[in-house]
């Protein structure tokens, strides 16, 4: 794994895309049965004496025995902050959780350790950055690609917004812990990767249409992570050791791809915006949350269907510019029409994506997650507004083609 890290640092250093890539602050990535022993050796090497663990009740239970034994054997002093769930039993990366971590972390802590999945990482990532100390990642489930990124998607006053803060300085993933994670979380990890079909297409589109910063290397790294997951779908579906490892490698690599851009362009397109919209609506309705990867998994074929249904006819009638579309925007669309068509036609069919999701034990349709058709419809019309500076195909359709 560290070879992968070294290669990425080298590749990023040599990249000719013209954008300044963010430095990768991650010094070590360990995925294995001795991850916690190596974590303790790393803490010693860094001379960290005051360590603050951030977890929730479930994630702490998943890692406690092996992790705390190692820390205690080496007499490393640690405190534990167990982030409290909300009224529905969900731990949310919001103001309340952040304040709890800030209150319960000793002022002289040297480092925070996120012991959990996506939510605990985002709370820890944000809190540690504000405390001006580093954080270390201990993933308890291969459920998202956010462990190695620098963005923290937070719910602030009910709105899901992503704030760029910091990446971890090291990742220690214990394979036994990951292996014992609920199957739904492993399936969700696959869902977050399947979402890259549309996030990459949207990113490429935004670059063509609105000069959004773009890097072929970051695109390629993300695409490669997606491909490896698809190639090993049987292993992931079986939850085999090999499958978990492949999935975790892919999630970490996709996270580093985001980190290189300092933004989630490569990993989050309209399918993520739909998911964020649903998440905010569930919070408003006081409904139990649905896993992020499950939501972006089901939204991916919806977005593919939507794009192919609405954009292909536009591409077939390029001479008929509707009055509503700005001349320059239409000009760009026309100039890139062949590439956009190829992009749309190379996406897998919605039924193929749904079959993949079903294979890993993931929901294929939003209804299976309690997301009703009117909510899906509304999100297709409004979710692009959550990220108004991303020129996704959904943004293009809603702002220039459909609403006017
Ligand atoms: N920073 C970034 O770039 C990214 C951030 N995210 C964010 O991550 C969040 C979602 O994270 P998820 O990992 O999907 O869910 P999560 O972190 O909210 O965890 C879901 C539930 O699973 C439990 N859990 C975790 N590990 C467990 C284990 N080993 N055994 C039993 N229970 C366990 C947790 O306690 C929690 O109740 C979203 O807010 C999403 O926006 C997602 C992708 C990228
Ligand atoms: O979930 C993510 C990538 O998988 C991050 O996306 P956002 O930047 O939209 O929060
Ligand atoms: Ni995601």
């Amino acid at each position: 794994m560290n070879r992968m890290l070294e290669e990425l640092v080298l590749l990023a250093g040599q990249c000719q895309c013209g954008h300044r890539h963010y430095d990768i602050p991650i010094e070590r990535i360990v995925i294995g049965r001795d991850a916690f022993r190596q974590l303790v050796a790393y803490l010693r090497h860094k001379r960290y004496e005051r360590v603050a663990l951030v977890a929730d009740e479930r994630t702490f239970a998943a890692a406690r025995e092996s992790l705390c034994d190692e820390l205690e054997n080496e007499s490393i002093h640690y405190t534990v902050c167990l982030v409290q769930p909300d009224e529905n039993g969900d731990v949310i990366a919001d103001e309340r959780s952040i304040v709890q971590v800030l209150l319960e972390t000793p002022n002289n802590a040297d480092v925070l350790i996120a012991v959990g999945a996506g939510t605990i990482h985002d709370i820890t990532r944000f809190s540690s950055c504000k405390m001006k100390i580093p954080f270390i990642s201990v993933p308890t489930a291969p459920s998202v690609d956010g462990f190695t990124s620098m963005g923290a998607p937070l719910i602030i006053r009910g709105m899901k917004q992503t704030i760029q803060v910091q990446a971890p300085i090291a990742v220690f993933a214990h394979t036994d812990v990951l292996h014992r994670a609920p199957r739904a979380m492993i399936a969700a990890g696959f869902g977050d990767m399947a979402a890259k079909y549309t996030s990459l297409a949207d990113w490429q589109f935004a670059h063509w249409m609105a000069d959004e910063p773009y890097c072929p290397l970051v695109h390629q790294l993300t695409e490669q992570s997606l491909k490896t997951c698809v190639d090993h779908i049987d292993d992931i579906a079986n939850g085999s050791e090999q499958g978990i490892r492949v999935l975790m490698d892919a999630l970490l690599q996709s996270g580093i791809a985001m980190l290189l851009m300092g933004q989630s362009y490569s990993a989050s397109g309209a399918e993520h915006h739909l998911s964020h919209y649903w998440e905010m609506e569930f919070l408003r309705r006081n409904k139990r949350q649905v896993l992020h990867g499950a939501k972006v998994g089901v939204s991916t074929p919806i977005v593919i269907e939507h794009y192919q249904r609405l954009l292909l006819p536009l591409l077939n009638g390029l001479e008929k510019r509707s009055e509503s579309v700005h001349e320059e925007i239409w000009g760009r669309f026309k100039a890139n029409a062949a590439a956009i068509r190829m992009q749309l036609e190379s996406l897998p069919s919605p039924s193929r994506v749904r079959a993949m999701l079903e294979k890993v034990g993931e929901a294929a349709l939003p209804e299976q997650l309690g997301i009703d058709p009117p909510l899906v419809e509304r999100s297709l019309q409004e979710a692009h507004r959550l990220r108004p500076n991303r020129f996704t195909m959904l943004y293009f359709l809603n702002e220039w083609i459909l609403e006017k």
Side-chain angles (χ1 to χ4, degrees):
M1 196 64 203
N2 287 306
R3 194 158 355 111
M4 183 266 248
L5 199 54
E6 279 166 26
E7 272 171 27
L8 288 177
V9 171
L10 201 70
L11 281 171
Q14 295 169 343
C15 183
Q16 301 284 319
C17 73
H19 297 287
R20 203 191 78 76
H21 286 305
Y22 280 72
D23 290 336
I24 300 176
I26 308 166
E27 297 175 328
R28 203 160 300 175
I29 295 183
V30 178
I31 306 179
R33 291 217 161 79
D34 64 342
F36 294 162
R37 196 163 315 139
Q38 294 214 38
L39 163 63
V40 170
Y42 180 75
L43 292 171
R44 283 255 169 268
H45 162 77
K46 299 291 282 186
R47 299 181 194 280
Y48 291 146
E49 283 168 5
R50 290 166 298 267
V51 169
L53 307 186
V54 180
D56 64 45
E57 207 175 310
R58 279 183 285 261
T59 63
F60 194 51
R64 183 183 49 220
E65 212 178 302
S66 37
L67 176 60
C68 295
D69 276 1
E70 292 290 349
L71 290 169
E72 282 156 26
N73 286 346
E74 284 293 318
S75 310
I76 291 186
H77 176 74
Y78 64 90
T79 56
V80 183
C81 167
L82 293 183
V83 181
Q84 294 301 304
D86 68 4
E87 297 69 17
N88 301 317
D90 290 316
V91 173
I92 308 286
D94 65 0
E95 301 94 330
R96 274 199 289 183
S97 302
I98 291 164
V99 169
Q100 188 196 337
V101 172
L102 294 177
L103 286 172
E104 292 185 17
T105 304
N107 288 338
N108 60 358
D110 294 318
V111 68
L112 290 191
I113 304 187
V115 182
T119 300
I120 287 295
H121 272 71
D122 292 329
I123 297 168
T124 309
R125 179 192 318 283
F126 183 84
S127 308
S128 61
C129 187
K130 288 295 175 194
M131 295 175 74
K132 298 193 176 11
I133 55 174
F135 91 98
I136 293 173
S137 158
V138 172
T140 55
S143 50
V144 288
D145 62 353
F147 303 115
T148 46
S149 78
M150 64 182 282
L154 303 175
I155 297 281
I156 303 292
R157 294 187 194 278
M159 292 295 288
K160 179 102 169 171
Q161 43 187 278
T162 303
I163 301 166
Q164 298 302 321
V165 270
Q166 66 180 2
I169 53 167
V171 181
F172 296 91
H174 198 302
T175 32
D176 288 345
V177 173
L178 297 182
H179 205 260
R180 285 195 301 263
R183 290 302 284 264
M185 299 198 83
I186 299 169
F190 183 89
D192 207 19
M193 287 313 302
K196 296 343 170 206
Y197 281 121
T198 42
S199 64
L200 285 172
D202 266 336
W203 185 29
Q204 181 82 75
F205 181 82
H207 175 60
W208 289 329
M209 294 292 293
D211 296 324
E212 188 158 297
Y214 176 78
C215 167
L217 170 68
V218 170
H219 188 124
Q220 190 199 330
L221 290 172
T222 312
E223 196 165 51
Q224 192 184 62
S225 310
L226 164 60
K227 185 176 182 309
T228 331
C229 287
V230 173
D231 289 349
H232 289 83
I233 190 165
D234 290 327
D235 296 323
I236 296 172
N238 298 335
S240 70
E241 197 168 327
Q242 158 86 340
I244 305 277
R245 209 170 245 284
V246 165
L247 177 59
M248 197 63 196
D249 276 355
L251 293 167
L252 296 177
Q253 181 162 310
S254 173
I256 293 176
M258 282 190 256
L259 165 61
L260 286 173
M261 294 305 290
Q263 285 286 341
S264 61
Y265 300 125
S266 50
S268 168
E271 73 304 314
H272 269 70
H273 307 158
L274 256 58
S275 160
H276 297 340
Y277 191 96
W278 301 341
E279 182 174 332
M280 285 161 45
E281 184 63 24
F282 270 41
L283 280 171
R284 270 195 288 272
R285 292 185 196 170
N286 267 318
K287 276 180 78 167
R288 275 307 299 256
Q289 281 302 328
V290 172
L291 285 173
H292 169 82
K295 293 197 290 278
V296 297
V298 301
S299 66
T300 299
I302 294 177
V303 167
I304 296 178
E305 220 155 44
H306 192 71
Y307 285 177
Q308 291 181 337
R309 184 168 60 79
L310 295 170
L311 286 166
L312 289 174
L314 278 184
L315 290 165
N316 291 337
L318 284 171
E319 298 322 313
K320 293 173 278 166
R321 174 173 73 91
S322 116
E323 286 295 298
S324 65
V325 197
H326 193 286
E327 223 178 305
E328 193 197 325
I329 303 267
W330 191 252
R332 288 238 183 178
F333 187 63
K334 266 176 91 168
N336 292 292
I340 296 169
R341 179 189 294 279
M342 202 151 79
Q343 178 80 268
L344 286 173
E345 289 177 347
S346 66
L347 287 169
S349 68
S351 57
R352 171 141 183 265
V353 180
R354 291 193 175 111
M356 285 195 264
L357 294 171
E358 278 171 346
K359 182 156 208 172
V360 297
E362 190 57 271
L365 296 168
E367 296 90 304
Q368 293 167 272
L369 302 174
I371 299 154
D372 50 67
L375 178 57
V376 173
E377 199 39 54
R378 199 147 50 82
S379 63
L380 280 170
Q381 289 164 23
E382 296 177 356
H384 66 288
R385 298 206 186 110
L386 291 175
R387 298 288 184 270
N389 51 359
R390 295 269 172 99
F391 206 101
T392 60
M393 294 185 239
L394 189 64
Y395 183 94
F396 172 63
L397 284 168
N398 287 340
E399 290 295 316
W400 292 103
I401 306 293
L402 301 176
E403 282 190 355
K404 315 241 167 157

